[in-house]
Amino acid sequence: MHLDHITFSLPLLATATETADSSLVLAAVLLSIVVVYLASKIGGELLSRFGLPPVLGELVGGVVVGISVLHLLVFPEGGADSSSSLVMTFLQSTAGLTPDAADAVFKAQSEVVSVLAELGVIILLFEIGLESNIKDLMAVGVQALVVAVVGVVVPFTAGTVGLMTLFSIPAVPAIFAGAALTATSIGITSKVLSELGRLNSKEGQIILGAAVIDDVLGIIVLAVVASLAKEGSVDVSKVIYLIISACSFLLGAIVLGSIFSKTFVAIAKQLKTRGGLVIPAFIFAFVMAYFAAAIQLEAILGSFAAGLVLDETDERVELQKQVIPIADMLVPIFFVTVGAKTDLGVLNPAIPSNREGLTMAIFLIVVAILGKVVTGFSVFGQPQLNRLAIGVGMIPRGEVGLVFLGIGSSIGILSKPLEAAIIMMVILTTFLAPPLLRFVFPEPKTGDIATEELILDDSPGKPLVMESPNSQETK
């Protein structure tokens, strides 16, 4: 009975072992990770030499090794099979993988890499939470809320109305496409801000706070639209549940920070074996991520909240140092995977079905960019802020946009042209945001940082976050 339950709970392993040796699944995963690391390092190094954020290089590297170019790292959800994966072809020629077993191994390998990518973004948000500060996020809370609400309402309304009036798209697909425009990729934006040394600036904190709220609002919008598409009506009780659970979770994390921080340090000091600080921290982060996922929120919100809580501890600087090498191992898998899943074939105007999609894509891209850029100008009472940088920081849709697209495709409410248009919108906003952030958000001079430190030390009432040695570590 116990074993039956385990087999049912782990279909990935059961499928792999039924048709092929599990060692071949491991071999395929190892080859895939080699491809990921090579793509991330080569892409990151090349683009950093041109003054562009390395994370953009990881995305570009992913595109090169993915479905669009080399077919080294492909995934079944994009319509690929084992015959289109060069990793599978290589395994068949070198490790004795039979064609019959190739499909099962390919699916298992793809699931493992996707899980590692999800783990990478969970750790990324945990690391970002450690670099952030609850007090500073609360100090920009009202501005972040305004930015998030404007960033949801404007693109959603403009996109939905525009598709219905200009392109005669039916209401439900138009609403779904409008919902996809509301997303913001907190992972991509926060990584770029960290690389630029701007994560702890006032603008960076507003962007981060708004992206978190945006994520929560996006989940609620997605739930509403998905239920509308499936059932023809909205389940009001589910919407209310999501709103209450999201707010309660984030507020609970803030309250927990003041209670748990000293307990965590006391526990960590009693542990003498290797990993005495970082292992308990990851246990806490993963438990928080689990609770977020269990109440139908995003797991990354849980890990981010865990980072915020542990940022309040006395051990945060040492903890940041220990988390960085682990993040360096797993976070690139996430960014390369996002790039690898991006199919640039939808940009080919020679295919007739793409032409209608290209026209809609141009419209969606304009709405997607302008709809987020205006958010920066909705901030009030802060005359010295770089409002354009705030708006640009909200542009990338990234993996969040792909989630919206995936759900829309699975429900079957999106036409091929509209699906192609949404894919192109996600691609361009994801790839445009890092260089645009670099352009509107020049790197601070060392002298400026030192001045900020002095001002912050002498003026505790100012809500800017301290530039401490740990922030230098993470740049």
Side-chain angles (χ1 to χ4, degrees), residues 172 223-236 238-239:
V172 173
V224 171
V225 176
S227 63
L228 178 65
K230 287 178 184 174
E231 302 158 18
S233 61
V234 176
D235 186 346
V236 177
K238 185 174 182 180
V239 175

Side-chain angles (χ1 to χ4, degrees), residues 98-320:
T98 64
D100 291 338
D103 281 337
V105 173
F106 172 63
K107 288 176 183 176
Q109 168 256 337
S110 298
E111 286 187 36
V112 172
V113 173
S114 294
V115 168
L116 289 174
E118 288 298 317
L119 187 58
V121 75
I122 286 171
I123 289 174
L124 170 63
L125 267 295
F126 177 58
E127 184 183 25
I128 296 301
L130 285 173
E131 293 179 31
S132 305
N133 184 282
I134 291 177
K135 295 184 181 68
D136 300 302
L137 281 176
M138 292 180 69
V140 298
V142 177
Q143 287 94 342
L145 179 62
V146 171
V147 168
V149 170
V150 171
V152 168
V153 172
V154 172
F156 177 75
T157 305
T160 303
V161 173
L163 286 172
M164 291 176 68
T165 56
L166 298 177
F167 299 96
S168 301
I169 301 293
V172 173
I175 290 171
F176 208 99
L181 290 168
T182 65
T184 296
S185 174
I186 183 174
I188 290 169
T189 294
S190 57
K191 180 69 172 175
V192 174
L193 287 171
S194 182
E195 289 173 352
L196 292 175
R198 293 288 192 169
L199 189 65
N200 283 339
S201 67
K202 191 67 165 292
E203 293 89 348
Q205 291 293 291
I206 290 175
I207 293 169
L208 193 58
V212 172
I213 298 169
D214 203 48
D215 221 0
V216 174
L217 292 175
I219 293 163
I220 295 168
V221 169
L222 182 59
V224 171
V225 176
S227 63
L228 178 65
K230 287 178 184 174
E231 302 158 18
S233 61
V234 176
D235 186 346
V236 177
S237 61
K238 185 174 182 180
V239 175
I240 293 171
Y241 165 78
L242 284 170
I243 294 171
I244 293 173
S245 60
C247 295
S248 301
F249 183 82
L250 292 173
L251 289 174
I254 293 171
V255 173
L256 184 63
S258 58
I259 300 171
F260 182 72
S261 55
K262 291 182 180 178
T263 306
F264 173 81
V265 173
I267 293 171
K269 285 182 177 177
Q270 296 301 313
L271 302 175
K272 304 302 179 185
T273 56
R274 183 173 174 177
L277 179 62
V278 74
I279 296 299
F282 275 125
I283 290 172
F284 178 60
F286 294 156
V287 167
M288 291 286 282
Y290 162 76
F291 280 126
I295 60 174
Q296 299 177 40
L297 299 176
E298 289 290 324
I300 57 176
L301 287 178
S303 61
F304 176 76
L308 285 178
V309 169
L310 296 185
D311 179 68
E312 298 293 296
T313 67
D314 298 334
E315 300 289 333
R316 67 183 177 86
V317 175
E318 181 59 32
L319 181 56
Q320 283 179 353

